[in-house]
Amino acid sequence: CVAFKAQSALGYSMLSHVKNPFPAFSDKEKAMISRRSWLETAAVTAGASSLLSMDPSVANAADSKPGGIPLSRYEDPACKFSLDLPSDWTKTEQTLPDRRKIILYIKPDSNQKTLVFLAYTPVRDDFTSLSSFGSVDEVAEATILPKAELAGIEGVESRMISATSKKQSYLFDYVQKVPSQPETHFRTIFTLASGATGGAGNVLVTITAQAPEAEYSSIKPVFDQILDSYK
């Protein structure tokens, strides 16, 4: 089974046990990959990885600086997508034993609370499109607004602002509050990259920008440009 011991919905928690992301589940259960699990995995990665600056060899300079923050182009040829990411934010990357990969860009002086992260998880080749995971509303209900007890957290409050389908992806905008943590604003792109494993199977990619809700209005122009640049 997959079990998570969570300490906060911001991802700063301990991943207690992860094996096959699709153990003996029904088709519907397999479709409900927990977005919270990626936040938690990202937290462990952030704690275990060394911090790296953006490698200019994989990013081309972008022209605009929304909110005074320079952006550089990040390209992933294997998963066939690209987007602009902050070139002066701290980067950390980790590949896990089960072939999942996490890349984080953390805003300096934000106490690791304002960040963008990309999470990759291989899935079986019978997951051929996003509809294999359910409609955008079904995915929102089952993964973006998960049951708190699944992560061992009580008192979690989540509010979906929008859930839409665009650019062959699912886009989510929502706010979440966890006891003892500041209310946090999340914006997520949920997409499936076909043939990205180099063999059988595809890759589920989630791209998430998050910031404390109290600071969201000031960082929103940056998040807008980052997510709008996705293609």
Side-chain angles (χ1 to χ4, degrees):
C1 67
V2 179
F4 297 99
K5 180 181 179 183
Q7 295 177 344
S8 92
L10 299 181
Y12 298 99
S13 57
M14 294 301 296
L15 183 65
S16 61
H17 181 62
V18 178
K19 288 187 178 179
N20 179 359
F22 301 110
F25 285 107
S26 68
D27 289 342
K28 183 175 182 180
E29 288 171 326
K30 287 187 293 186
M32 304 311 181
I33 292 180
S34 169
R35 169 156 172 337
R36 183 189 300 280
S37 73
W38 274 112
L39 288 176
E40 294 162 354
T41 304
V44 175
T45 302
S49 302
S50 58
L51 297 179
L52 307 171
S53 60
M54 176 177 271
D55 183 351
S57 68
V58 298
N60 299 317
D63 294 330
S64 39
K65 297 182 180 180
I69 296 175
L71 302 178
S72 294
R73 196 70 182 168
Y74 173 90
E75 298 187 14
D76 188 323
C79 290
K80 302 179 180 65
F81 77 89
S82 64
L83 77 166
D84 295 337
L85 291 170
S87 57
D88 61 354
W89 288 16
T90 304
K91 178 187 176 184
T92 180
E93 180 174 344
Q94 178 85 6
T95 300
L96 304 178
D98 55 8
R99 296 185 300 139
R100 288 176 302 162
K101 182 170 71 171
I102 313 283
I103 303 174
L104 300 96
Y105 292 84
I106 303 173
K107 185 176 184 293
D109 303 321
S110 71
N111 197 27
Q112 296 188 333
K113 295 184 183 300
T114 298
L115 57 95
V116 177
F117 77 83
L118 294 75
Y120 300 76
T121 187
V123 299
R124 297 183 336 200
D125 54 9
D126 55 343
F127 289 85
T128 57
S129 67
L130 280 181
S131 61
S132 301
F133 300 92
S135 69
V136 64
D137 291 331
E138 288 170 338
V139 172
E141 180 65 25
T143 68
I144 302 299
L145 302 176
K147 303 299 184 291
E149 59 269 19
L150 295 181
I153 303 175
E154 295 182 358
V156 176
E157 299 177 4
S158 299
R159 174 170 53 89
M160 180 64 66
I161 298 171
S162 66
T164 59
S165 179
K166 184 180 180 182
K167 298 181 180 180
Q168 297 183 320
S169 303
Y170 292 165
L171 284 68
F172 304 102
D173 187 344
Y174 64 105
V175 176
Q176 193 169 82
K177 178 71 175 72
V178 174
S180 77
Q181 297 288 338
E183 187 174 43
T184 302
H185 200 125
F186 297 89
R187 292 173 62 183
T188 293
I189 296 174
F190 188 97
T191 192
L192 188 68
S194 300
T197 62
N202 301 315
V203 174
L204 179 68
V205 180
T206 57
I207 302 167
T208 297
Q210 68 178 71
E213 177 66 4
E215 302 170 16
Y216 178 72
S217 61
S218 63
I219 199 70
K220 182 179 182 297
V222 179
F223 285 179
D224 285 344
Q225 180 142 345
I226 290 172
L227 298 174
D228 289 346
S229 73
Y230 167 79
K231 60 183 177 181

